[in-house]
């Protein structure tokens, strides 16, 4: 891990939010809410924690990201573009015919995507397989897997936790993006979890619950997870769906189809947030 530099991460997260909006605006509509709330996590992972080489995305000793909530693809495309995996503008073809940037992440199309996701639940399992495979191959890399709180309605997520605990996968860190909402409403109304962190801990995972928009809290939780030997980790991120998108944040929108003037307003606000972060 690099040293924590909150100012640098604040700027990076603001850039990721702006580019996420631009990527989705290129298509006109998409999963703004569940992408924007991950910008702070992505800034910490790609700005301070993960080992990767943008010129060699399949570098065998890299750390892996599995965006199990694959509909958040745009936040990954923004992050990878900023980090130099490809020219950012290429991602302004989201979901167009022949694009390398489908709405859900696909490892065969996009440099930087380690595993294909989109069918909720599955990434939790394939991430465990990747972590086990890396360990068998003698690599000390980590696998980071992001699961949604709605996604955690899938039994497969809990089966993956069970498997990861049984195999002592301490090179695997799950994040649960606990934004309280899923596709058609609040998670608590559709299939309430109760205390998600307590539930993950009861599966044996070393579990922490933090503010998912606090850079230092994310960084420190990952450092704690690295130090926990013999157990996989789960970090529950309390987040705000749509954070930083003027049209989506207040109403926790899942899929957004803003009017042109709403796009303009959102992009202007994100540009201002970036300029403010750079000045601070
Ligand atoms: C197996 C499966 N069922 C349904 C869907 C459709 N779907 C896409 S996103 C979503 C809601 C997911 O909610 P959550 O995991 O909380 O995502 P977030 O709110 O963070 O965007 C649903 C039901 C899917 N992609 N896969």
């Amino acid at each position: 891990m690099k040293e924590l530099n909150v100012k640098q991460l604040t700027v990076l997260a603001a850039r990721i939010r702006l580019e996420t909006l631009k990527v989705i605006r290129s298509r006109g509509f998409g999963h703004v809410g569940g992408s924007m709330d991950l910008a702070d996590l992505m800034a910490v992972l790609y700005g301070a924690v993960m080992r990767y080489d943008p010129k060699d995305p399949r570098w065998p000793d890299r750390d892996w990201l599995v965006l199990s909530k694959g509909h958040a693809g745009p936040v990954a495309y923004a992050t990878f573009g900023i980090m130099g995996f490809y020219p950012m503008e290429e991602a302004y073809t989201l979901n167009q015919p022949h694009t390398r940037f489908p709405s859900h992440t696909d490892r065969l199309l996009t440099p930087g995507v380690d595993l294909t996701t989109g069918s909720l639940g599955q990434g939790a399992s394939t991430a465990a397989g990747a972590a086990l495979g890396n360990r068998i191959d003698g690599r000390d890399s980590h696998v980071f897997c992001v699961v949604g709180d709605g996604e955690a309605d899938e039994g497969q997520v809990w089966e993956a936790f069970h498997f990861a605990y049984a195999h002592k996968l301490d090179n695997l860190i799950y994040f649960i993006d606990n934004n309280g909402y899923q596709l058609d409403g609040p998670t608590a109304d559709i299939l309430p979890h109760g205390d998600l962190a307590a539930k993950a801990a009861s599966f044996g995972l070393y579990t922490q619950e933090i503010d998912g928009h606090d850079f230092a809290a994310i960084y420190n939780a990952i450092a704690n997870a690295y130090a926990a030997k013999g157990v996989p980790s789960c970090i529950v991120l309390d987040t705000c769906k749509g954070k930083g998108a003027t049209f989506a944040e207040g109403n926790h929108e899942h899929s957004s189809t803003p009017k042109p003037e709403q796009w303009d307003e959102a992009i202007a606000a994100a540009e201002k947030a970036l300029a403010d972060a750079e000045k601070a």
Side-chain angles (χ1 to χ4, degrees), residues 212-246:
H213 300 304
D214 179 332
F215 300 109
I218 300 170
Y219 179 92
N220 290 330
I222 294 170
N224 293 339
Y226 276 15
K229 298 298 173 205
V231 279
S233 272
C234 177
I235 302 174
V236 178
L237 301 169
D238 295 328
T239 57
C240 170
K241 194 160 178 169
K243 188 166 176 66
T246 46

Side-chain angles (χ1 to χ4, degrees), residues 231-278:
V231 279
S233 272
C234 177
I235 302 174
V236 178
L237 301 169
D238 295 328
T239 57
C240 170
K241 194 160 178 169
K243 188 166 176 66
T246 46
F247 53 80
E249 183 170 336
N251 48 7
H252 316 282
E253 255 174 34
H254 185 72
S255 187
S256 305
T257 312
K259 299 191 178 80
E261 58 274 21
Q262 288 178 301
W263 272 122
D264 292 344
E265 187 191 14
I267 298 278
E271 281 170 346
K272 182 172 180 316
L274 175 56
D276 290 348
E278 284 170 338

Side-chain angles (χ1 to χ4, degrees), residues 10 27 75 119 142 184 236:
T10 308
R27 186 70 183 99
V75 76
S119 182
H142 284 85
D184 38 15
V236 178

Side-chain angles (χ1 to χ4, degrees), residues 31 33-35 37-38 69 71-72 104 118-122 147-152 154 177-184 187 239 241 252-254:
H31 294 108
S35 297
D37 65 7
L38 293 177
K69 42 169 281 192
H71 56 282
H104 298 60
S119 182
L120 296 171
Q122 294 186 358
V147 172
D149 61 336
E151 177 177 11
E154 292 283 352
D177 181 9
N178 190 29
N179 59 30
Y181 289 82
Q182 48 185 280
L183 189 150
D184 38 15
T187 300
T239 57
K241 194 160 178 169
H252 316 282
E253 255 174 34
H254 185 72

Side-chain angles (χ1 to χ4, degrees), residues 27-191:
R27 186 70 183 99
F29 60 91
H31 294 108
V32 173
S35 297
M36 294 292 275
D37 65 7
L38 293 177
D40 302 309
L41 172 67
M42 293 298 276
V44 176
L45 287 177
Y46 283 84
V49 170
M50 286 175 66
R51 281 192 320 210
Y52 58 93
D53 178 356
K55 301 295 167 234
D56 184 10
R58 291 273 196 266
W59 175 40
D61 288 322
R62 73 191 182 282
D63 293 324
W64 291 45
L65 175 76
V66 183
L67 204 51
S68 192
K69 42 169 281 192
H71 56 282
V75 76
Y77 305 153
T79 307
F80 302 158
I82 291 166
M83 293 307 177
F85 284 79
Y86 39 75
M88 190 66 248
E89 294 71 27
E90 260 200 59
Y92 302 160
T93 55
L94 183 74
N95 232 8
Q96 306 282 359
H98 312 299
T99 183
R100 293 205 289 169
F101 302 89
S103 61
H104 298 60
T105 42
D106 185 329
R107 66 181 287 279
L108 298 179
L109 289 178
T110 317
V113 172
D114 288 312
L115 286 176
T116 299
T117 52
S119 182
L120 296 171
Q122 294 186 358
S125 296
T126 55
L132 181 58
N134 282 335
R135 189 172 72 192
I136 291 169
D137 287 347
R139 302 189 192 287
D140 66 353
S141 43
H142 284 85
V143 176
F144 298 93
C145 177
V146 186
V147 172
D149 61 336
E151 177 177 11
D153 287 347
E154 292 283 352
Q156 183 167 5
V157 170
W158 303 95
E159 182 184 352
F161 286 5
H162 177 81
F163 180 93
Y165 174 74
H167 288 272
K168 302 183 170 47
L169 297 178
D170 56 9
N171 55 346
L172 174 59
I173 300 178
Y174 288 105
F175 297 97
I176 301 182
D177 181 9
N178 190 29
N179 59 30
Y181 289 82
Q182 48 185 280
L183 189 150
D184 38 15
T187 300
D189 291 351
I190 292 164
L191 199 57

